[in-house]
């Protein structure tokens, strides 16, 4: 697959179909290169994201309510929410299946993922009401944040 193909815009419906099919064109877990573990190491607090050169806990501490930074600096998003395919940040590694399993089995990583989710919900003017059901509500300062949607 060429660089142009990896970064070409696909229709949203095709992206959804690819996701729902489990990314059939990507290697299986057995075929993956296990040295590709930057997402896991980032969420373990061992790897700095690029291009921002920050650890996950630094992003949470320094940017949690800095909505201007979150709005205008987009290099972090594929580190906080990695996906199985290449995105717009050339420095971010696609999420590997072995990383998914390791992340799901690590409570510290799962807490950091939840903190990332809550941070972005705040940016969008929402808050998580119930972690079990995923129920969301508008935050008290939702009006200025809705422009970020």
């Amino acid at each position: 697959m060429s660089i142009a193909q990896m970064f070409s815009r696909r229709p949203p419906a095709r992206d959804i179909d690819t996701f729902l099919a489990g990314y059939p064109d990507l290697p299986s877990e057995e075929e993956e290169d296990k040295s590709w573990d930057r997402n896991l190491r980032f969420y373990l607090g061992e790897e700095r994201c690029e291009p921002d050169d920050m650890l996950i806990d630094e992003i949470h501490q320094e940017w949690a309510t800095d909505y201007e930074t979150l709005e205008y600096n987009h290099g972090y998003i594929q580190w906080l929410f990695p996906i199985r395919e290449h995105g717009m940040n050339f420095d971010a590694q696609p999420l590997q299946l072995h990383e998914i399993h390791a992340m799901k089995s690590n409570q510290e990583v799962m807490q950091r993922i939840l903190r990332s989710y809550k941070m972005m919900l705040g940016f969008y003017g929402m808050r998580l009401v119930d972690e079990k059901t995923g129920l969301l509500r508008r935050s008290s300062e939702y009006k200025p944040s809705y422009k970020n949607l």
Side-chain angles (χ1 to χ4, degrees), residues 21-34:
Y23 297 97
D25 297 333
L26 295 178
S28 68
E29 188 168 1
E30 295 77 30
E31 300 167 326
E32 287 180 337
D33 182 345
K34 301 297 190 251

Side-chain angles (χ1 to χ4, degrees), residues 23-79:
Y23 297 97
D25 297 333
L26 295 178
S28 68
E29 188 168 1
E30 295 77 30
E31 300 167 326
E32 287 180 337
D33 182 345
K34 301 297 190 251
S35 68
W36 280 40
D37 64 353
R38 294 184 74 198
N39 297 298
L40 174 60
R41 288 188 292 123
F42 173 70
Y43 264 103
L44 287 170
E46 300 170 358
E47 174 94 12
R48 292 182 172 276
C49 69
E50 295 178 35
D52 303 303
D53 194 37
M54 296 178 78
L55 296 169
I56 183 68
D57 292 335
E58 293 170 341
I59 291 173
H60 289 156
Q61 292 164 4
E62 296 175 29
W63 293 1
T65 56
D66 185 353
Y67 298 150
E68 187 169 324
T69 296
L70 294 174
E71 173 64 24
Y72 294 107
N73 177 1
H74 298 145
Y76 67 92
I77 200 70
Q78 284 178 252
W79 289 89

Side-chain angles (χ1 to χ4, degrees), residues 77-96:
I77 200 70
Q78 284 178 252
W79 289 89
L80 291 184
F81 306 105
I83 58 174
R84 296 267 300 131
E85 59 190 310
H86 284 281
M88 299 308 291
N89 182 345
F90 292 93
D91 295 317
Q93 170 201 293
L95 183 63
Q96 305 299 300

